[in-house]
Every structure is written in C-alpha cells, then in structure tokens.
C-alpha cells in the first residue's frame, strides 16, 4: 500500500527534488540553540535517519550546517544565513494554504 505524500513532502520534492529536505530544514531552523542531533531529529520527524542523511550531507556541503562529533554523539550546528528565515517563511506559507484549503472544503 502506497501512502500519498504530505503537502510538505510534495513541496519539498518540487523545491529540492527530495521529499524530506524541507522538514529537515524547518526542524534545524526551529532548533532553539541551533544544534540538532540525528537521533533526536529522527524521533521528531518520525523518520529513519537514512531518510535525511542526504539532506544533512548537502546542508553541510553548502556551509549551512557544521557537523560536530564529540565522543559517540554527533550534532549538526546551524550556521547564520537568511536561508533559515526563508525556509520558515516557506513552511508558514504552506501551513496558511492548507488552512485555507481545509476551510474551503468545509463550506
């Protein structure tokens, strides 16, 4: 049985060619201290870590994240960029469109 992609996954695929990059970037942008741990991120997004390894690797390669490892714990540290503001704006716009779409259906 195939599950239909969520609106966020569809938009992520349209923008980035990858289903989970938008969700990963939103989670990183919202991280209070700018740090994310892959295990905690997997739990938060309800995804296997393998589902977001490529987006994380690409964000490191682009300089938007720095990968730090201390002992057995890996963390990714968000770097200052207007990209993080933009990604939150994109996600907010998606949420607003979904609310409007849902309200139109209920009329």
């Amino acid at each position: 049985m195939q599950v239909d992609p969520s609106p966020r996954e569809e938009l992520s695929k349209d923008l980035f060619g990858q289903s989970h990059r938008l969700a990963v970037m939103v989670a990183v942008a919202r991280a209070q201290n700018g740090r994310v741990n892959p295990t905690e991120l997997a739990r938060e997004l309800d995804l296997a870590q393998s589902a977001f390894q490529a987006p994380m690797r690409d964000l490191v390669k682009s300089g938007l994240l720095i990968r730090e490892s201390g002992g057995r714990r890996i963390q990714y540290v968000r770097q200052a960029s207007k990209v993080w503001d933009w990604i939150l704006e994109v996600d907010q716009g998606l949420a607003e469109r979904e609310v409007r779409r849902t309200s139109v259906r209920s009329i």
Side-chain angles (χ1 to χ4, degrees):
M1 180 174 115
Q2 185 174 3
V3 177
D4 288 337
S6 71
R8 184 187 264 174
E9 290 171 337
E10 287 179 353
L11 181 57
S12 183
K13 188 82 167 168
D14 290 343
L15 289 173
F16 306 115
Q18 207 279 339
S19 300
H20 303 299
R21 188 176 312 264
L22 178 57
V24 167
M25 291 182 74
V26 168
V28 169
R30 289 183 177 155
Q32 283 187 323
N33 61 2
R35 295 175 174 274
V36 291
N37 169 272
T39 302
E40 294 165 7
L41 186 59
R43 195 174 306 119
E44 177 183 339
L45 298 177
D46 194 27
L47 294 170
Q49 287 187 35
S50 60
F52 59 82
Q53 284 175 341
M56 295 299 277
R57 181 185 59 242
D58 293 344
L59 292 169
V60 169
K61 283 178 17 182
S62 70
L64 291 169
L65 291 178
I66 292 178
R67 185 179 188 273
E68 290 183 347
S69 56
R72 297 177 58 202
R73 189 164 170 91
I74 294 171
Q75 290 201 8
Y76 291 88
V77 182
R78 182 180 65 230
Q79 299 303 290
S81 173
K82 293 185 185 288
V83 166
W84 303 114
D85 295 331
W86 175 76
I87 208 69
L88 291 174
E89 186 177 323
V90 167
D91 195 56
Q92 180 64 37
L94 176 63
E96 290 169 1
R97 283 190 302 281
E98 284 303 300
V99 166
R100 283 194 303 271
R101 188 177 65 79
T102 303
S103 353
V104 168
R105 264 198 223 157
S106 64
I107 294 177

